[in-house]
Amino acid sequence: MTRFSLQRRLLLLLVGSALLVWVAMLVAGHDKARAEINELADVRLQQAARTLLVLDLKRLARLVQAGAAAMQAFDADRDDSVQPLAFQVWNDRGELLLASAGAPAIPDADADGYATRTIDGRAWRSYSVVDRHHAYRVTVLEPLDVREHPVRELTGRMGQVLLWSLPLLALLTWASIRRGLQPLARLSHALAARDAGRLEPLQVQRIPREVGTLVAALNDLLARLARSLDRERTFTADAAHELRTPLAAIKVQAEVALRATDEAARRTAIAQVIAAVNRTSHLAEQLLLLARLEYAPAGGQAHMDLAQLAADAIARHADAALRAGIELELNASAGSTLRGNAAMLSVLIDNLLDNAIKYGNHGGRAVVEVRPDGDVLLLRVADDGAGVAPDERERLRDRFFRGSDNRATGSGLGLSIVDRVAAAHHARVEFGSGLTPGSGFGVSVRFTPS
């Protein structure tokens, strides 16, 4: 089984998710910073152009002669490390009148407002404004690449903050996960401290709702295990008790055969031993069958004809019914199909027929009926024997219980097996009178067709 650390996995998932969010924030912040800086730079271009526009050509010429230092001082808001703005002055005929040092050679300046130009492989941002009174145009330009410096610097600072905070976040996340998983650790210690015989519910204090669901499921499992062990102990005790009597009878008859002095007495004792062995074998088979049904679900289900299963069961019990003087009869109607396990349902019908043959009157009859009854499919096996007292009928579901009229030999497990098979098929078992009201015994099993 592959094992992994839940704490480590949660830590990696949370820190990894935070890292992805931070990268997305850094990219978004970079784009936002670029947009803000471009907007501010465009406003600066416009302010510089309108300021230059109010100067006459002589003053503009002196500004050009003063060179870059004067332009740097003119654009006082800019950083010393950044290239100063360049400008050009054009007349209304498109002739270049003045140009500052470093200003690129643009073919014309016929567009008012903002423009983005590529000159000699370098991108420039410009703003042009016209003086209608003096009939000239001022264009202020700035390289776009100089705007990337503050963008990179701002993004780098943001990245440094995020990078330094990542270890702190990882530490806080690890501490939070460790504290959050403490209820699971307490639950693990509570389970590890138990031995195999302690199946009482877990009592873990101060647990969150999610862990409470797990504790509830574990307590339900422990309760089912406790019930299963109780059934197993009861089953083992009952089986030991029931097997003790036939084994004792076998021992007694074997001792009689050993001490017998004549052949007839010895043969009689040996015959009794064989009969007791047969009864014990039948009891053991019933015990094993009941144990399998107790712990195995009704798997291998398929659609089948219940009337056909009943007919096959009657054929298997024909010889036994003939020896007991019982006439077997099948009354089946159309529409007797249901979904179930054929082997288990055959065991159910076999046990019902076996009881009807054992406890029916010699010369009487037993009837197997299969028919729809409302929204259920009814299987009923009834005889005309002595029957079972009404106050004893519900106890027939108990293992090893036999009614007060126990003339025939039996293990008292047949109807327990019937009840278990019916439960596996979500069917209901009912006990009542037999072929005539108030006499005989009848068992009805009501299936819900699917």
Side-chain angles (χ1 to χ4, degrees), residues 97-419:
L97 301 178
L98 291 172
S100 64
I106 58 177
D108 54 51
D110 57 354
D112 292 342
Y114 294 105
T116 301
R117 308 167 184 271
T118 301
I119 304 171
D120 297 331
R122 191 178 188 187
W124 292 76
R125 182 72 168 169
S126 67
Y127 182 80
S128 300
V129 62
V130 176
D131 185 341
R132 303 297 180 188
H133 178 68
H134 295 95
Y136 61 83
R137 182 191 307 270
V138 175
T139 300
V140 181
L141 304 99
E142 180 184 39
L144 286 179
D145 51 12
V146 301
R147 300 184 179 187
E148 289 298 319
H149 173 72
V151 175
R152 290 193 297 268
E153 185 177 357
L154 183 59
T155 304
R157 291 176 181 176
M158 291 175 55
Q160 288 178 357
V161 173
L162 296 179
L163 184 62
W164 282 106
S165 61
L166 184 61
L168 178 60
L169 177 64
L171 180 61
L172 292 176
T173 303
W174 174 81
S176 301
I177 292 174
R178 186 177 180 85
R179 183 175 180 84
L181 292 179
Q182 283 181 353
L184 289 179
R186 292 198 299 269
L187 178 61
S188 177
H189 294 327
L191 288 173
R194 292 190 169 211
D195 55 34
R198 292 182 57 191
L199 297 177
E200 66 272 13
L202 293 169
Q203 300 294 336
V204 183
Q205 302 299 324
R206 298 181 61 189
I207 57 175
R209 185 182 299 108
E210 293 78 7
V211 180
T213 304
L214 174 62
V215 172
L218 286 173
N219 284 337
D220 181 66
L221 175 62
L222 290 173
R224 285 186 277 121
L225 286 174
R227 290 193 297 269
S228 178
L229 287 176
D230 288 342
R231 287 197 303 266
E232 185 176 342
R233 294 189 188 102
T234 302
F235 180 82
T236 303
D238 291 343
H241 174 75
E242 292 296 322
L243 286 172
R244 187 180 297 116
T245 300
L247 290 176
I250 291 173
K251 179 181 178 182
V252 170
Q253 294 299 329
E255 291 175 347
V256 170
L258 184 64
R259 292 195 300 267
T261 56
D262 62 284
E263 184 66 20
R266 185 166 53 253
R267 286 181 174 275
T268 301
I270 292 175
Q272 293 294 328
V273 169
I274 294 174
V277 169
N278 290 335
R279 289 194 298 272
T280 305
S281 297
H282 178 70
L283 175 59
E285 290 173 358
Q286 294 285 80
L287 286 171
L288 292 174
L289 177 58
L290 186 59
R292 288 196 297 269
L293 293 175
E294 191 74 25
Y295 300 106
Q301 294 193 353
H303 289 283
M304 64 198 65
D305 188 352
L306 187 61
Q308 184 59 49
L309 292 180
D312 295 340
I314 288 176
R316 288 193 296 273
H317 289 77
D319 291 342
L322 183 62
R323 289 193 297 269
I326 302 293
E327 179 185 353
L328 299 180
E329 181 180 338
L330 174 64
N331 294 329
S333 303
S336 59
T337 301
L338 81 159
R339 183 176 178 81
N341 184 294
M344 293 177 67
L345 291 174
S346 295
V347 168
L348 181 147
I349 301 173
D350 285 341
N351 277 275
L352 292 178
L353 282 174
D354 185 63
N355 277 353
I357 293 171
K358 282 183 179 178
Y359 299 103
N361 289 328
H362 184 80
R365 62 195 184 98
V367 177
V368 180
E369 184 179 7
V370 181
R371 61 177 175 83
D373 184 18
D375 57 349
V376 301
L377 182 61
L378 174 66
L379 167 68
R380 186 170 186 269
V381 178
D383 59 56
D384 56 2
V388 179
D391 57 344
E392 293 182 342
R393 288 173 182 170
E394 284 305 313
R395 293 195 60 194
L396 295 174
R397 304 175 193 273
D398 299 338
R399 289 174 295 195
F400 305 110
F401 176 79
R402 300 176 65 200
S404 55
D405 182 15
N406 54 1
R407 294 173 291 116
T409 60
S411 62
L413 293 174
L415 292 178
S416 297
I417 293 173
V418 168
D419 194 59

Side-chain angles (χ1 to χ4, degrees), residues 412-444:
L413 293 174
L415 292 178
S416 297
I417 293 173
V418 168
D419 194 59
R420 182 65 187 88
V421 173
H425 289 79
H426 308 289
R428 187 172 72 254
V429 178
E430 300 172 351
F431 303 127
S433 299
L435 295 178
T436 56
S439 64
F441 182 64
V443 181
S444 298

